[in-house]
Amino acid sequence: MAEESLAIGTDEWVAAHEGRTSGQVQGPVARTFGRLPWWVWGSIAVLVAVVLPLIGSTYLMRVGVNLGLFLMLALGLNLVVGYAGLLDIGYVAFYGLGAYGFAMLASDKFGVHLPTVVAVPVVVAAVSIFGLVLGLAARRLLGDYLAIVTLFFGQMFVEFALSGDAITVPGRAEQVDLTGGTNGITDVDRFSFLGVEFSSDRWYYYLLVVLVVLLALAVRRLDGSRIGRAWKAVGQDPLAAEAMTMPVNRLKIMAFVVGAGIAGLAGTVFAAVQRGVFPSSFDLPLLILLYAAVILGGSGSLKGALIGAALLSLLPEALREPSYSEMVFVLLLVAGLALAVRSWRDRIIVVVATVVFGFVMNLLFTLLHVQGVPASAWTSGPVSTLLGHWLFVPQDRVLWGNLGFVGLVVLLAVLTLVGTRVRPILLPAIVWLSIFVWFVRLADVPSITRQLLIGALLIVLMIVRPQGLFGRRQVEVL
Amino acid sequence: MELFVQQLVNGLTLGGVYALIALGYTLIYGVLQLLNFAHGEVYMVGAFTGFFVMVGLGGPGKPIVPVWLMIVAMFLAAMVVSGLLGVGIERFAYRPLRESTRIAPLISALGVSLFLQNAVLLLFGSRVRSYDTPRYWSGAGPQVAGVQVNPVRILVLVLAIILMVGLTRLVEKTAFGRGMRAVAYDRDAAVMMGIDVNKVIVLVFFVASALAGAAGVMVGLVFFNVNNYMGFLAGLKGFTAAVVGGIGSIPGAMLGGLLIGLIESFTTAYVSANFASVLSFLVLILVMLLKPRGLLGTRAIVKV
């Protein structure tokens, strides 16, 4: 692994940084993926993506469309944040602008029905111009201040979309309705190329497969290109880049424009596939999810952005279905345990202790005369059926679940404070509590659970592995 | 004229609340150079704490203690709970990242914000809860220029001023304030002068979050409704105020808060309620572009 050739612009000392800090050159995930060349993985992914609709249901197609849109956005954001290092917290606004732009140009809202081949390029160009304006305005701002201005740009977009249905124009009696307010714009035209209408999700799915593949290939090409390297340089150290005579401001604006254009394009597809646009689709939750995806994958890494986006787009989807959601939970639990406990002997001890602890808690519940429910009332899949013989589920699931949740958060916090000696004592209690909280409460509220998990993921990720699964740790030479 | 006076009072009240939130952002930014995006959520938790104390003391219908005692208890509880929450956030989400890259704590803060918002949703549900202030306190307020002013607003305004004066004295006169200013000025030098930086940072988080908690109760008293999403927009407004005033500057945060509050209440009254937020954000972006360090901010000189 050490003989990995040096990338241009990385000197030997920096390249060897990870080797110095620990025994591993890359994270375990990156190593697994490194065993096969990139195009093998790419072909497998594309093959799966192409074959999937043949066996898939309409629901699966909808999931696929969402995944495609999310992948596009992640790729775009990765250029802006990962490459050029611009902390753009208003990125989702460009997505919204694209969607609203297409909705305005191709719906009954204003009676305008531009053909798709005209509307999409016009919208993408317009959104790119917005990117240019924001880039121009923000080009001199550094770090936090850039984050502030872009955050408010994004928030202004949402506010404007929300309240743009009653704009008072001087000189006109009635108020102008531009965005439809909370009701949004509905009955947006479908895409149609050369007389073929994109009538079902399947069409959009294939369109998105094509778009994502093209985009991914473009980013791959960009990686080693002049502009790509320049962006990385600006991202790592604008001052040094400037000293190397790179046009830093122009590069930053370019990143803004390209990122905005990609988001705008994704927005037009979104508007057409949803056949409607609403302000709430472009608010903060989507932005946080996007950032989580890019950062989980490792900002600045193409495969990182793709895999991070795929994980964060598909896992929450799996939470909706009870029998999948318990699988997700088991995966998370096993992964967490595997990371927390390093030796096999300790792992077995923890598992056994958890089982015993569970029985002790059952006894406690019985002594307290807590009403329970039979296992058949809450089990939904093989995992919970197995657990049904062991886990006690109280009748008042909200109350006990909430208590358990608070307890779990407190115990996890305590776990990070105590030394390695005490940890093994706490772990069985934590494992039991997380199983308890999950099946008693969290599994019933998938949308809240999903947000909680993403929030926790962001915090833990930043502390444990800030460079993400595939990212490189930044080396700062002072 | 009547409308003007009414809006002036509204704007000042709102401005006082925003100023308290803004002070939190500014204090934390001052010592850590961290944009604490979770601050709005701390404020939300404060509002919830106040609500539950009120319910615990008999609810809005018939409180079991005198009303003034109940209000004092609400403020104290909210400030303590929020303060401790802030300290907890610092300990678990920011301290491990202190030597990390600049972006790491920012992302972590977004995570905390999302987590808290949904934890409250999980625990207390999405039902909007009401402080229902008029049911226990609707005395006639003083007359200002012929206009009857709501006494709750007067109380909030006075309290906000007291808290701000207290904070100013804390920062200027006490040993903790000196330590805080030293850490804000140069953390490494402060360490060498024997200042316990961790202690200062913990205290700053406590004070900043307690102010946000007080702001939460104030909003509950004036506008009644609290829910788990209230933190986001209020946090954003307080943040706007801090940035407009010059982030890191304490008088700046107060000025910015009042400014944003007044802009908002006058826009609501004379232009359109819909555009109150948009306009304050527009003011922010304008200030950022014309005077990037804010109205009262000092120009940062970075040596390379």
Side-chain angles (χ1 to χ4, degrees):
Chain A
M1 269 166 280
E3 52 266 25
E4 183 191 5
S5 67
L6 290 182
I8 300 167
T10 314
D11 83 0
E12 210 172 334
W13 191 84
V14 171
H17 168 73
E18 298 230 340
R20 278 198 310 278
T21 50
S22 65
Q24 308 167 329
V25 173
Q26 282 170 311
V29 184
R31 251 182 299 144
T32 314
F33 273 84
R35 291 211 179 105
L36 288 173
W38 67 270
W39 51 267
V40 175
W41 288 112
S43 315
I44 293 173
V46 172
L47 202 68
V48 170
V50 170
V51 174
L52 201 61
L54 303 179
I55 52 164
S57 57
T58 39
Y59 166 71
L60 205 62
M61 280 300 90
R62 183 39 71 103
V63 173
V65 166
N66 287 341
L67 173 63
L69 289 169
F70 199 68
L71 284 173
M72 281 185 80
L73 288 174
L75 283 173
L77 186 68
N78 192 33
L79 286 185
V80 181
V81 179
Y83 279 68
L86 300 165
L87 200 52
D88 181 357
I89 311 195
Y91 188 72
V92 175
F94 295 122
Y95 183 47
L97 282 169
Y100 267 89
F102 184 74
M104 285 174 188
L105 292 182
S107 75
D108 293 330
K109 181 80 181 167
F110 302 111
V112 185
H113 292 277
L114 288 182
T116 310
V117 280
V118 181
V120 171
V122 166
V123 170
V124 172
V127 176
S128 303
I129 290 172
F130 269 100
L132 178 71
V133 171
L134 187 66
L136 278 174
R139 70 187 186 283
R140 295 198 182 285
L141 299 171
L142 294 173
D144 296 344
Y145 286 88
L146 181 70
I148 294 168
V149 169
T150 50
L151 171 69
F152 284 94
F153 173 75
Q155 225 36 55
M156 255 174 64
F157 168 76
V158 176
E159 289 283 332
F160 188 79
L162 267 177
S163 50
D165 55 344
I167 301 168
T168 318
V169 179
R172 280 186 67 158
E174 74 271 31
Q175 293 182 315
V176 179
D177 177 3
L178 210 56
T179 63
T182 41
N183 297 325
I185 301 174
T186 48
D187 285 332
V188 177
D189 294 354
R190 294 191 173 100
F191 274 2
S192 67
F193 285 112
L194 308 168
V196 184
E197 198 184 56
F198 282 33
S199 48
S200 73
D201 284 355
R202 193 159 297 191
W203 285 92
Y204 294 97
Y205 175 79
Y206 278 116
L207 174 70
L208 281 166
V209 170
V210 172
L211 284 176
V212 169
V213 168
L214 287 180
L215 206 59
L217 287 176
V219 173
R220 216 198 128 67
R221 294 284 303 159
L222 188 77
D223 201 61
S225 77
R226 213 174 131 82
I227 291 182
R229 280 179 286 134
W231 273 346
K232 281 188 194 167
V234 171
Q236 302 231 326
D237 192 337
L239 203 71
E242 187 123 40
M244 301 291 162
T245 72
M246 291 179 192
V248 171
N249 279 343
R250 195 152 20 117
L251 285 165
K252 281 185 184 174
I253 293 172
M254 212 144 70
F256 262 113
V257 171
V258 174
I262 293 172
L265 181 61
T268 58
V269 180
F270 176 74
V273 73
Q274 291 272 322
R275 309 213 59 208
V277 287
F278 310 97
S280 56
S281 316
F282 312 107
D283 213 343
L284 212 65
L286 177 64
L287 182 89
I288 295 182
L289 196 64
L290 258 181
Y291 262 89
V294 170
I295 284 162
L296 174 67
S299 91
S301 149
L302 169 63
K303 55 187 172 200
L306 290 174
I307 291 168
L311 278 179
L312 283 195
S313 168
L314 294 179
L315 280 187
E317 207 58 54
L319 290 182
R320 282 181 221 277
E321 181 67 37
S323 54
Y324 291 148
S325 107
E326 59 176 43
M327 291 297 179
V328 174
F329 171 68
V330 169
L331 275 177
L332 287 176
L333 192 67
V334 168
L337 204 60
L339 286 175
V341 188
R342 288 301 185 168
S343 84
W344 277 104
R345 195 193 55 142
D346 292 354
R347 282 172 193 165
I348 292 169
I349 294 176
V350 168
V351 170
V352 172
T354 306
V355 174
V356 174
F357 187 78
F359 284 121
V360 173
M361 290 307 288
N362 291 354
L363 195 68
L364 211 64
F365 277 124
T366 323
L367 287 179
L368 289 170
H369 297 292
V370 179
Q371 282 279 323
V373 291
S376 57
W378 59 273
T379 50
S380 55
V383 180
S384 49
T385 312
L386 187 68
L387 287 174
H389 304 293
W390 171 69
L391 189 68
F392 176 87
V393 173
Q395 189 129 48
D396 193 347
R397 292 169 74 163
V398 175
L399 174 72
W400 286 101
N402 286 352
L403 284 177
F405 176 76
V406 174
L408 182 62
V409 172
V410 171
L411 272 189
L412 281 174
V414 171
L415 185 74
T416 65
L417 293 181
V418 297
T420 41
R421 213 55 69 79
V422 194
R423 269 181 207 187
I425 304 169
L426 279 177
L427 268 177
I430 288 176
V431 175
W432 178 83
L433 250 185
S434 40
I435 296 173
F436 179 78
V437 172
W438 183 275
F439 287 104
V440 171
R441 186 88 175 93
L442 291 181
D444 295 339
V445 281
S447 62
I448 301 178
T449 304
R450 160 191 149 148
Q451 309 271 21
L452 282 172
L453 284 178
I454 292 167
L457 171 81
L458 282 177
I459 304 169
V460 173
L461 195 66
M462 281 301 106
I463 294 171
V464 177
R465 199 176 159 80
Q467 73 270 42
L469 297 179
F470 292 98
R472 284 175 170 281
R473 192 184 276 278
Q474 288 249 354
V475 185
E476 287 180 1
V477 188
L478 290 174
Chain B
M1 188 60 202
E2 258 177 48
L3 183 67
F4 180 81
V5 173
Q6 200 69 58
Q7 290 312 316
L8 189 69
V9 173
N10 288 353
L12 286 176
T13 321
L14 204 58
V17 172
Y18 288 158
L20 288 182
I21 303 174
L23 280 170
Y25 277 110
T26 270
L27 286 172
I28 290 170
Y29 192 88
V31 291
L32 278 184
Q33 278 77 51
L34 164 73
L35 297 176
N36 181 16
F37 280 128
H39 200 60
E41 264 53 61
V42 173
Y43 149 92
M44 177 262 293
V45 169
F48 265 90
T49 311
F51 173 80
F52 284 117
V53 168
M54 184 194 75
V55 172
L57 292 178
K62 33 181 179 310
I64 52 175
V65 292
V67 169
W68 66 268
L69 195 64
M70 183 171 87
I71 289 179
V72 169
M74 281 156 74
F75 272 103
L76 280 183
M79 287 173 80
V80 170
V81 169
S82 298
L84 291 179
L85 179 67
V87 171
I89 293 172
E90 192 274 332
R91 181 65 191 79
F92 295 108
Y94 302 149
R95 192 178 297 180
L97 299 173
R98 225 178 269 164
E99 304 306 323
S100 193
T101 50
R102 296 279 281 141
I103 187 174
L106 219 59
I107 302 294
S108 177
L110 284 177
V112 173
S113 166
L114 195 66
F115 187 85
L116 284 179
Q117 221 177 70
N118 286 283
V120 170
L121 180 61
L122 180 79
L123 296 181
F124 306 124
S126 58
R127 194 156 54 85
V128 174
R129 291 156 199 263
S130 174
Y131 269 58
D132 222 352
T133 321
R135 277 181 67 190
Y136 50 86
W137 195 23
S138 57
Q143 297 253 336
V144 179
V147 183
Q148 191 81 36
V149 177
N150 189 335
V152 179
R153 286 181 187 271
I154 303 289
L155 172 86
V156 164
L157 192 56
V158 170
L159 253 177
I161 292 170
I162 291 175
L163 285 174
M164 283 190 243
V165 171
L167 180 76
T168 314
R169 292 194 61 86
L170 184 74
V171 171
E172 281 176 2
K173 306 280 182 199
T174 63
F176 158 64
R178 265 200 305 282
M180 200 197 105
R181 280 178 290 148
V183 173
Y185 194 74
D186 188 333
R187 200 198 302 168
D188 294 333
V191 173
M192 287 176 215
M193 296 297 128
I195 293 168
D196 186 347
V197 173
N198 273 338
K199 206 168 104 188
V200 169
I201 289 174
V202 164
L203 273 174
V204 164
F205 264 87
F206 185 86
V207 170
S209 307
L211 291 178
V217 178
M218 289 177 182
V219 164
L221 286 176
V222 175
F223 299 105
F224 314 145
N225 288 343
V226 290
N227 66 23
N228 66 313
Y229 295 116
M230 69 188 281
F232 175 64
L233 202 59
L236 216 55
K237 296 280 174 54
F239 182 47
T240 313
V243 175
V244 165
I247 193 145
S249 147
I250 289 175
M254 298 175 190
L255 177 73
L258 286 183
L259 209 62
I260 297 294
L262 287 173
I263 288 175
E264 227 179 272
S265 80
F266 282 110
T267 320
T268 310
Y270 292 104
V271 187
S272 152
N274 285 338
F275 283 93
S277 301
V278 178
L279 202 74
S280 51
F281 295 160
L282 210 60
V283 168
L284 171 105
I285 292 187
L286 278 180
V287 170
M288 281 276 80
L289 296 178
L290 298 176
K291 215 168 170 322
R293 301 285 159 197
L295 295 178
L296 298 185
T298 44
R299 194 167 182 77
I301 299 164
V302 181
K303 256 198 277 180
V304 185

